[in-house]
Amino acid sequence: GEQPRRFDRFRDRIMFPIRDVSGQIRGFGGRILVESDTAPKYMNSPEGPTFKKRELLYGLYEAQAAIEAEDMALVVEGYLDVVSLAQAGFLPVVGSLGTACTADQIGALLTRATRLVFSFDGDAAGRRAAAAALATRMEVGMSSPRARQAAYAP
């Protein structure tokens, strides 16, 4: 029989390891090097037992100390947004892995900070993502102990 064809799903992409909060690599994200009409700009590892993008935030492992120290997290869309801001010295920044922010992601941030700032792209998709993130943030509300403590602080 004929052997199945193999190919590199991340070919021609810059690769970004996606870690969980303990620093373990759970998956990868890739950004295409040369824009294309047929290939997606961003591609993540396939969903599976170790990679659930709705539960992960790009850069949270590296940013968690800064997020806690500043009591704030800036949430952006892309890996390069996170890297660029961190290189410029702005450290409490994470990426949403190209999805609308989920309750799991927002909950993970609210255990570390009381202030969340969403800064997505200015295009229609970015504006929709920001509105959805804000709505999810309001739904998660005061469910984290840190957020409740801050709300009742004098």
Side-chain angles (χ1 to χ4, degrees), residues 1-13:
E2 191 175 308
Q3 290 288 349
R5 266 186 82 209
R6 293 193 173 145
F7 67 95
D8 176 6
R9 81 181 287 121
F10 291 114
R11 66 189 169 281
D12 299 327
R13 293 177 182 275

Side-chain angles (χ1 to χ4, degrees), residues 52-126:
K52 295 180 176 71
K53 69 180 180 179
R54 64 179 298 106
E55 296 175 1
L56 299 165
L57 287 155
Y58 179 70
L60 180 57
Y61 172 71
E62 293 82 1
Q64 54 191 334
I67 290 170
E68 290 173 11
E70 299 199 25
D71 191 32
M72 95 58 105
L74 174 65
V75 184
V76 297
E77 281 187 69
Y79 314 110
L80 290 174
D81 299 329
V82 174
V83 171
S84 297
L85 285 161
Q87 283 181 330
F90 190 82
L91 302 180
V93 60
V94 296
S96 64
L97 300 180
T99 62
C101 275
T102 66
D104 288 333
Q105 291 170 326
I106 289 172
L109 293 171
L110 288 174
T111 63
R112 293 165 174 80
T114 57
R115 294 178 298 139
L116 304 183
V117 177
F118 302 100
S119 180
F120 298 143
D121 294 348
D123 58 13

